[in-house]
Amino acid sequence: MAEGALNLASSRPARSANLRISPTRFSPLRRTLPLTSPSVAGKSLFCSHLHRRNSVLSTNSSRSQFRTKSSMAEKVTGKSKAEVKVYDSEEELAVALAKYTADLSEKFCKERDAFTVVVSGGSLIKSLRKLVEPPYIDSIDWSKWHVFWVDERVVPKDHPDSNYLLAYDGFLSKIPIPAGHVYAINDALSAEGAADDYETCLRHLVKSKILDISKESGFPKFDVMLLGMGPDGHVASLFPGHPLVHEKEKWVTFIKDSPKPPPNRITFTFPVINSSANIALAIVGAGKADVVHKSLGDDKSSDLLPVQMVSPEGELVWFLDKDAASKL
């Protein structure tokens, strides 16, 4: 696997980067996925876990400062120092993303006996495919994984728009993760109700020590968020110009007027996203090159895109294929 070297001078506006590119399992999904809501001490735990039944799943930015470091560039953005990695192809990106995730899994499983992973929808799930292949399918301790969604469309779990269904088909159905460690939304509720339920679930997991809390922010601190980005620069269901990008109190909120269908969704807020120990942004394709350039270049616009507001307490890594990086 070869990474491209991203060479950008910090003393002048980024125009064209010198890119040097070197040549277990859930059971089969039923099309009806009934929700289950476990109880804790007689009280309903609202966030839906998924259980087996008869072996069937029932379901700031500041001014750019890059410095070349081997095959990687670094950018200082707000409180985070981001690594920017460019790959010859999406295939090579997927290989690198799998190693990145597996290394973090090993680290956190040793440190805290659990690994809390947040995923998005879209092309990110496809880029996780190498995790379900050797050597990772056999070496990762899947029993300690806890999987969450950074956002979800409020549709049935068997609906084509469901991020859960996308992750199930492309990833979750291929790994031996305990069904009770997959935290899907309660899709029987309204968008507002589902958001409240999901936040209640997170608060329970904090109390039970599965999920850490950030000492800096007081918001939940996930071990890693594996995120994609829309061609308009949105992350999760936080869209450019939408008031939700400024939500400061809630852990999970809802949107009923999403610019991208379907309109009803729930989403983590930026305080939760930015409390993460690690965030990976996996971005592929020429269709996102303009936004990547705006985000990682020397754009002085005061109107930040949502992706530019991603600034975790821990480490941020941009995984780009050469098409997505083509305008750097």
Side-chain angles (χ1 to χ4, degrees), residues 258-274:
S258 168
K260 179 182 178 182
N264 294 327
R265 300 161 177 242
I266 73 165
T267 183
F268 284 4
T269 59
F270 270 122
V272 172
I273 293 171
N274 287 336

mmCIF file of all heavy atoms in Angstrom, residues 258-274:
data_model
loop_
_atom_site.group_PDB
_atom_site.id
_atom_site.type_symbol
_atom_site.label_atom_id
_atom_site.label_comp_id
_atom_site.label_asym_id
_atom_site.label_seq_id
_atom_site.Cartn_x
_atom_site.Cartn_y
_atom_site.Cartn_z
ATOM 1 N N SER A 258 -34.358 17.906 6.752
ATOM 2 C CA SER A 258 -33.050 17.636 6.164
ATOM 3 C C SER A 258 -33.021 18.071 4.704
ATOM 4 O O SER A 258 -33.924 17.730 3.929
ATOM 5 C CB SER A 258 -32.724 16.148 6.251
ATOM 6 O OG SER A 258 -31.608 15.830 5.450
ATOM 7 N N PRO A 259 -31.981 18.812 4.286
ATOM 8 C CA PRO A 259 -31.866 19.195 2.871
ATOM 9 C C PRO A 259 -31.713 17.997 1.954
ATOM 10 O O PRO A 259 -31.992 18.086 0.770
ATOM 11 C CB PRO A 259 -30.599 20.065 2.849
ATOM 12 C CG PRO A 259 -30.386 20.494 4.249
ATOM 13 C CD PRO A 259 -30.910 19.380 5.104
ATOM 14 N N LYS A 260 -31.269 16.891 2.533
ATOM 15 C CA LYS A 260 -31.113 15.653 1.776
ATOM 16 C C LYS A 260 -32.147 14.661 2.280
ATOM 17 O O LYS A 260 -32.254 14.445 3.490
ATOM 18 C CB LYS A 260 -29.699 15.104 1.976
ATOM 19 C CG LYS A 260 -29.417 13.795 1.261
ATOM 20 C CD LYS A 260 -28.002 13.328 1.574
ATOM 21 C CE LYS A 260 -27.717 11.984 0.908
ATOM 22 N NZ LYS A 260 -26.360 11.485 1.239
ATOM 23 N N PRO A 261 -32.948 14.068 1.404
ATOM 24 C CA PRO A 261 -33.955 13.113 1.870
ATOM 25 C C PRO A 261 -33.299 11.855 2.423
ATOM 26 O O PRO A 261 -32.173 11.528 2.057
ATOM 27 C CB PRO A 261 -34.761 12.806 0.594
ATOM 28 C CG PRO A 261 -33.849 13.143 -0.534
ATOM 29 C CD PRO A 261 -32.963 14.255 -0.049
ATOM 30 N N PRO A 262 -34.034 11.178 3.329
ATOM 31 C CA PRO A 262 -35.339 11.524 3.900
ATOM 32 C C PRO A 262 -35.216 12.665 4.905
ATOM 33 O O PRO A 262 -34.151 12.857 5.507
ATOM 34 C CB PRO A 262 -35.776 10.229 4.580
ATOM 35 C CG PRO A 262 -34.490 9.547 4.931
ATOM 36 C CD PRO A 262 -33.528 9.878 3.845
ATOM 37 N N PRO A 263 -36.303 13.408 5.119
ATOM 38 C CA PRO A 263 -36.218 14.622 5.939
ATOM 39 C C PRO A 263 -36.062 14.378 7.435
ATOM 40 O O PRO A 263 -35.470 15.197 8.133
ATOM 41 C CB PRO A 263 -37.532 15.334 5.637
ATOM 42 C CG PRO A 263 -38.474 14.245 5.216
ATOM 43 C CD PRO A 263 -37.630 13.239 4.493
ATOM 44 N N ASN A 264 -36.603 13.263 7.948
ATOM 45 C CA ASN A 264 -36.593 13.006 9.398
ATOM 46 C C ASN A 264 -35.382 12.168 9.788
ATOM 47 O O ASN A 264 -35.208 11.038 9.317
ATOM 48 C CB ASN A 264 -37.877 12.286 9.814
ATOM 49 C CG ASN A 264 -39.098 13.152 9.636
ATOM 50 O OD1 ASN A 264 -39.038 14.369 9.786
ATOM 51 N ND2 ASN A 264 -40.233 12.531 9.310
ATOM 52 N N ARG A 265 -34.557 12.728 10.685
ATOM 53 C CA ARG A 265 -33.323 12.065 11.092
ATOM 54 C C ARG A 265 -33.011 12.378 12.548
ATOM 55 O O ARG A 265 -33.540 13.338 13.101
ATOM 56 C CB ARG A 265 -32.141 12.560 10.242
ATOM 57 C CG ARG A 265 -32.282 12.310 8.744
ATOM 58 C CD ARG A 265 -31.332 13.208 7.981
ATOM 59 N NE ARG A 265 -31.376 12.946 6.542
ATOM 60 C CZ ARG A 265 -30.346 12.526 5.817
ATOM 61 N NH1 ARG A 265 -29.164 12.357 6.395
ATOM 62 N NH2 ARG A 265 -30.479 12.292 4.532
ATOM 63 N N ILE A 266 -32.118 11.571 13.121
ATOM 64 C CA ILE A 266 -31.492 11.967 14.382
ATOM 65 C C ILE A 266 -30.001 12.097 14.123
ATOM 66 O O ILE A 266 -29.465 11.512 13.163
ATOM 67 C CB ILE A 266 -31.771 10.978 15.534
ATOM 68 C CG1 ILE A 266 -30.969 9.684 15.364
ATOM 69 C CG2 ILE A 266 -33.250 10.686 15.654
ATOM 70 C CD1 ILE A 266 -30.908 8.839 16.619
ATOM 71 N N THR A 267 -29.318 12.853 14.974
ATOM 72 C CA THR A 267 -27.886 13.066 14.760
ATOM 73 C C THR A 267 -27.191 13.408 16.072
ATOM 74 O O THR A 267 -27.780 14.037 16.953
ATOM 75 C CB THR A 267 -27.652 14.197 13.734
ATOM 76 O OG1 THR A 267 -26.247 14.345 13.497
ATOM 77 C CG2 THR A 267 -28.209 15.534 14.219
ATOM 78 N N PHE A 268 -25.949 12.963 16.205
ATOM 79 C CA PHE A 268 -25.108 13.457 17.280
ATOM 80 C C PHE A 268 -24.837 14.938 17.025
ATOM 81 O O PHE A 268 -24.804 15.391 15.879
ATOM 82 C CB PHE A 268 -23.774 12.716 17.316
ATOM 83 C CG PHE A 268 -23.830 11.325 17.899
ATOM 84 C CD1 PHE A 268 -25.029 10.751 18.291
ATOM 85 C CD2 PHE A 268 -22.674 10.578 18.048
ATOM 86 C CE1 PHE A 268 -25.075 9.476 18.828
ATOM 87 C CE2 PHE A 268 -22.695 9.304 18.576
ATOM 88 C CZ PHE A 268 -23.893 8.752 18.972
ATOM 89 N N THR A 269 -24.614 15.668 18.094
ATOM 90 C CA THR A 269 -24.300 17.087 17.977
ATOM 91 C C THR A 269 -22.776 17.267 17.966
ATOM 92 O O THR A 269 -22.013 16.355 18.302
ATOM 93 C CB THR A 269 -24.890 17.865 19.156
ATOM 94 O OG1 THR A 269 -24.338 17.345 20.377
ATOM 95 C CG2 THR A 269 -26.412 17.729 19.180
ATOM 96 N N PHE A 270 -22.342 18.473 17.603
ATOM 97 C CA PHE A 270 -20.903 18.705 17.553
ATOM 98 C C PHE A 270 -20.201 18.563 18.905
ATOM 99 O O PHE A 270 -19.055 18.086 18.950
ATOM 100 C CB PHE A 270 -20.590 20.062 16.918
ATOM 101 C CG PHE A 270 -20.414 19.971 15.424
ATOM 102 C CD1 PHE A 270 -21.200 20.719 14.570
ATOM 103 C CD2 PHE A 270 -19.463 19.126 14.874
ATOM 104 C CE1 PHE A 270 -21.043 20.627 13.195
ATOM 105 C CE2 PHE A 270 -19.295 19.020 13.499
ATOM 106 C CZ PHE A 270 -20.081 19.779 12.653
ATOM 107 N N PRO A 271 -20.818 18.960 20.020
ATOM 108 C CA PRO A 271 -20.121 18.718 21.287
ATOM 109 C C PRO A 271 -19.802 17.245 21.522
ATOM 110 O O PRO A 271 -18.756 16.918 22.100
ATOM 111 C CB PRO A 271 -21.107 19.259 22.327
ATOM 112 C CG PRO A 271 -21.856 20.330 21.611
ATOM 113 C CD PRO A 271 -22.029 19.801 20.218
ATOM 114 N N VAL A 272 -20.673 16.348 21.083
ATOM 115 C CA VAL A 272 -20.402 14.916 21.215
ATOM 116 C C VAL A 272 -19.337 14.480 20.209
ATOM 117 O O VAL A 272 -18.372 13.781 20.552
ATOM 118 C CB VAL A 272 -21.691 14.095 21.023
ATOM 119 C CG1 VAL A 272 -21.385 12.600 20.971
ATOM 120 C CG2 VAL A 272 -22.674 14.387 22.150
ATOM 121 N N ILE A 273 -19.508 14.894 18.970
ATOM 122 C CA ILE A 273 -18.526 14.528 17.944
ATOM 123 C C ILE A 273 -17.131 14.983 18.357
ATOM 124 O O ILE A 273 -16.153 14.225 18.280
ATOM 125 C CB ILE A 273 -18.932 15.128 16.586
ATOM 126 C CG1 ILE A 273 -20.219 14.467 16.068
ATOM 127 C CG2 ILE A 273 -17.807 14.975 15.560
ATOM 128 C CD1 ILE A 273 -20.824 15.129 14.842
ATOM 129 N N ASN A 274 -17.038 16.213 18.829
ATOM 130 C CA ASN A 274 -15.722 16.784 19.125
ATOM 131 C C ASN A 274 -15.159 16.382 20.484
ATOM 132 O O ASN A 274 -14.046 16.769 20.830
ATOM 133 C CB ASN A 274 -15.774 18.304 18.994
ATOM 134 C CG ASN A 274 -15.857 18.741 17.547
ATOM 135 O OD1 ASN A 274 -15.441 18.018 16.642
ATOM 136 N ND2 ASN A 274 -16.402 19.918 17.313
#
